[in-house]
């Protein structure tokens, strides 16, 4: 969000050098909507390691699907404007579920701007019941859109943001899950953002994600007036943090299903820079003027435990992340597919964590749950049965 604006959060956009690989990945995703399993097998044979590693390092959404089974994508049919007038559902779909049934929902919002000013942009996934009441948590990602003249995105002026949610029906019924877009600015409302048709979409898994697991880190309001958020930095903040593990998150151990052949794990980590004067961080954590930017090293761990509760088999992804003060918020995406379940460990128990190590620049806030319902940093684990 623009400094001093409403409480929202965001991601690093694709950079210019991402363009060719991004086009290829987008094509693979489109084909995979119908043939997800076949595509996964093709990727496993060769190119996957290089391409998926590049995706995580450069900051756009990995093409690897974590869903057990196929998904259905619903794309925005025509360009749609949204303004500071409030959050609006841009696209959605209804699904009928049994009690306790879970589905993976993924949404991509790509938008252009009518202004050169830096303005906030949020992509949120919200599921509602037949009465229109929000059910469970919402999942959101956001970033400042830096204007129609921005050339640092893969497509000039086009900012893409992804979000993921594991939705579990509390009771049998029909639910609607939608991509909700919003924008906000402290410099006025005489502008609009436009969601791009085709490139803005929502995906929902076609079958139940049996025994899938969900992680989210603790409450962390935008302004952090109560000092509940976790920070990494060079001043008053600690130099490192463990998300889902040492940040106050209740210990969460996940059991792979007895019939699962392998498992998949993914996580979305949201970070916010804390320049002097921002309304997004506690004042004690604001060390440098705007323009300092921030650099962190990140490592995603998905660990199978042994019978004593210690690490037996560790699966990891690492990257270095630069977050500018203009972007202000940034989401890093991690995804590891087809993780073997090692019988020698003696359990089918896993833990998830993300290691965040401050390198230089601004102090960073690790975003959590806002207003008790909106999750900004989260993870999902899926069982694979074939």
């Amino acid at each position: 969000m623009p400094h001093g604006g409403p409480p929202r959060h965001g991601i690093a956009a694709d950079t210019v050098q991402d363009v060719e690989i991004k086009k290829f990945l987008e094509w693979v995703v489109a084909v995979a909507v119908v043939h997800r399993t076949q595509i996964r097998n093709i990727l496993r044979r060769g190119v996957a390691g290089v391409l998926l590693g590049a995706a995580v390092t450069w900051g756009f959404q990995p093409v690897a699907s974590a869903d057990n089974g196929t998904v259905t994508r619903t794309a925005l049919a025509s360009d749609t404007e949204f303004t500071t007038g409030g959050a609006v559902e841009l696209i959605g779909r209804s699904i009928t579920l049994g009690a306790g049934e879970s589905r993976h929902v993924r949404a991509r919002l790509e938008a252009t701007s009518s202004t050169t000013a830096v303005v906030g942009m949020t992509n949120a996934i919200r599921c509602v019941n037949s009465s229109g009441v929000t059910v469970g948590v919402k999942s959101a990602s956001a970033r400042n859109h830096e204007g129609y003249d921005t050339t640092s995105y893969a497509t000039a002026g086009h900012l893409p943001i992804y979000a993921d949610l594991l939705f579990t029906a509390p009771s049998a019924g029909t639910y609607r899950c939608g991509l909700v877009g919003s924008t906000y600015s402290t410099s006025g409302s005489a502008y609009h953002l436009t969601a791009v048709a085709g490139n803005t979409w929502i995906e929902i898994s076609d079958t139940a994600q049996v025994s899938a697991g969900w992680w989210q880190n603790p409450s962390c309001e935008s302004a952090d007036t109560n000092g509940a958020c976790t920070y990494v930095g060079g001043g008053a903040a600690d130099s490192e943090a463990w998300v889902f593990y040492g940040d106050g998150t209740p210990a969460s151990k996940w059991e792979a299903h007895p019939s699962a052949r392998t498992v998949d794990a993914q996580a979305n980590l949201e970070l916010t820079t804390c320049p002097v004067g921002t309304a997004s961080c506690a004042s004690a954590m604001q060390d440098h003027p705007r323009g300092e930017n921030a650099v962190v090293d990140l490592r995603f761990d998905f660990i199978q435990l042994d019978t004593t509760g210690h690490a037996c088999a560790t699966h990891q992804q690492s990257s270095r992340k630069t977050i500018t003060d203009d972007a202000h918020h940034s989401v890093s995406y991690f995804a590891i597919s087809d993780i073997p379940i090692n019988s020698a460990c003696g359990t089918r128990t896993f833990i998830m964590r993300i290691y965040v190590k401050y390198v230089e620049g601004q102090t960073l806030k690790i975003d959590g749950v806002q207003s008790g319902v909106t999750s900004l940093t989260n993870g999902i684990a899926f069982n694979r049965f074939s």
Side-chain angles (χ1 to χ4, degrees):
M1 71 183 183
H3 298 281
R8 293 295 188 269
H9 297 263
I11 78 167
D14 307 347
T15 54
V16 173
Q17 64 262 44
D18 299 335
V19 134
E20 294 304 320
I21 291 178
K22 177 175 180 289
K23 288 179 180 177
F24 174 76
L25 293 178
E26 291 282 8
W27 172 81
V28 172
V29 170
V31 177
V33 171
V34 180
H35 300 292
R36 190 61 56 93
T37 301
Q38 295 92 320
I39 290 296
R40 187 173 70 252
N41 292 335
I42 291 170
L43 289 175
R44 246 193 325 252
R45 290 200 292 267
V47 223
V50 173
L51 289 181
L52 296 183
V56 171
T57 300
W58 291 346
F60 57 86
Q61 182 74 356
V63 74
S65 168
D67 300 73
N68 178 54
T70 60
V71 304
T72 294
R73 175 183 294 183
T74 305
L76 186 66
S78 59
D79 289 356
T80 303
E81 295 181 2
F82 55 104
T83 69
T84 57
V88 58
E89 182 183 288
L90 296 169
I91 192 166
R93 186 163 70 86
S94 294
I95 50 176
T96 300
L97 304 176
E101 186 175 344
S102 297
R103 298 294 177 90
H104 178 205
V105 186
R106 168 178 291 175
R108 183 184 197 270
L109 170 59
E110 179 177 316
T112 59
S113 177
S114 66
T115 180
T116 59
V118 174
V119 299
M121 171 176 154
T122 293
N123 170 10
I125 299 172
R126 179 182 64 197
C127 297
V128 300
N129 61 19
S130 57
S131 300
V133 177
T134 300
V135 177
V137 299
K138 297 185 290 183
S139 181
S141 298
R143 183 196 195 281
N144 285 350
H145 196 302
E146 295 163 65
Y148 66 73
D149 57 346
T150 300
T151 58
S152 60
Y153 306 156
T155 301
H158 287 238
L159 174 62
I161 300 175
Y162 297 83
D164 291 272
L165 174 68
L166 182 67
F167 175 70
T168 301
S171 59
T174 298
Y175 300 86
R176 180 176 178 84
C177 294
L179 184 169
V180 178
S182 59
T183 183
Y184 29 85
S185 175
T186 55
S187 57
S189 59
Y191 75 94
H192 63 266
L193 300 184
T194 301
V196 178
N199 291 339
T200 296
W201 45 255
I202 190 168
E203 288 183 343
I204 304 176
S205 50
D206 295 322
T207 56
Q209 302 303 296
V210 178
S211 299
W214 171 262
W215 284 257
Q216 62 186 32
N217 64 335
S219 173
C220 171
E221 300 298 340
S222 181
D224 191 27
T225 54
N226 61 356
C229 300
T230 299
Y231 296 82
V232 294
D238 291 336
S239 62
E240 60 185 16
W242 292 92
V243 178
F244 308 140
Y245 189 71
D247 60 353
T249 304
S252 180
K253 296 178 180 179
W254 177 73
E255 296 286 330
H257 191 278
S259 300
R261 180 184 60 84
T262 61
V263 297
D264 293 352
Q266 67 172 61
N268 299 348
L269 169 69
E270 183 128 37
L271 301 172
T272 295
T273 64
C274 296
V276 172
T278 183
S280 299
C281 305
S283 57
M285 297 297 173
Q286 300 175 22
D287 298 321
H288 304 287
R290 189 169 182 267
E292 184 76 11
N293 305 329
V295 180
V296 285
D297 286 332
L298 306 173
R299 191 185 73 229
F300 175 54
D301 295 340
F302 198 62
I303 303 170
Q304 186 175 356
L305 303 179
D306 64 18
T307 55
T308 68
H310 294 89
C312 175
T314 300
H315 307 272
Q316 298 177 326
Q317 280 185 343
S318 299
S319 63
R320 174 163 288 193
K321 187 84 170 183
T322 298
I323 305 168
T324 68
D325 285 328
D326 279 348
H328 192 35
H329 312 287
S330 177
V331 174
S332 293
Y333 300 102
F334 302 92
I336 307 175
S337 296
D338 287 327
I339 298 168
I341 302 170
N342 189 341
S343 59
C345 293
T347 79
R348 298 172 73 85
T349 305
F350 290 81
I351 63 169
M352 179 184 292
R353 66 187 186 187
I354 307 171
Y355 178 62
V356 183
K357 174 66 175 177
Y358 172 79
V359 176
E360 63 182 14
Q362 300 284 14
T363 291
L364 288 166
K365 183 179 71 176
I366 299 172
D367 291 294
V369 175
Q370 291 188 359
S371 302
V373 295
T374 303
S375 172
L376 298 160
T377 293
N378 44 66
I380 312 176
F382 301 87
N383 292 288
R384 290 279 193 189
F385 298 99
S386 61

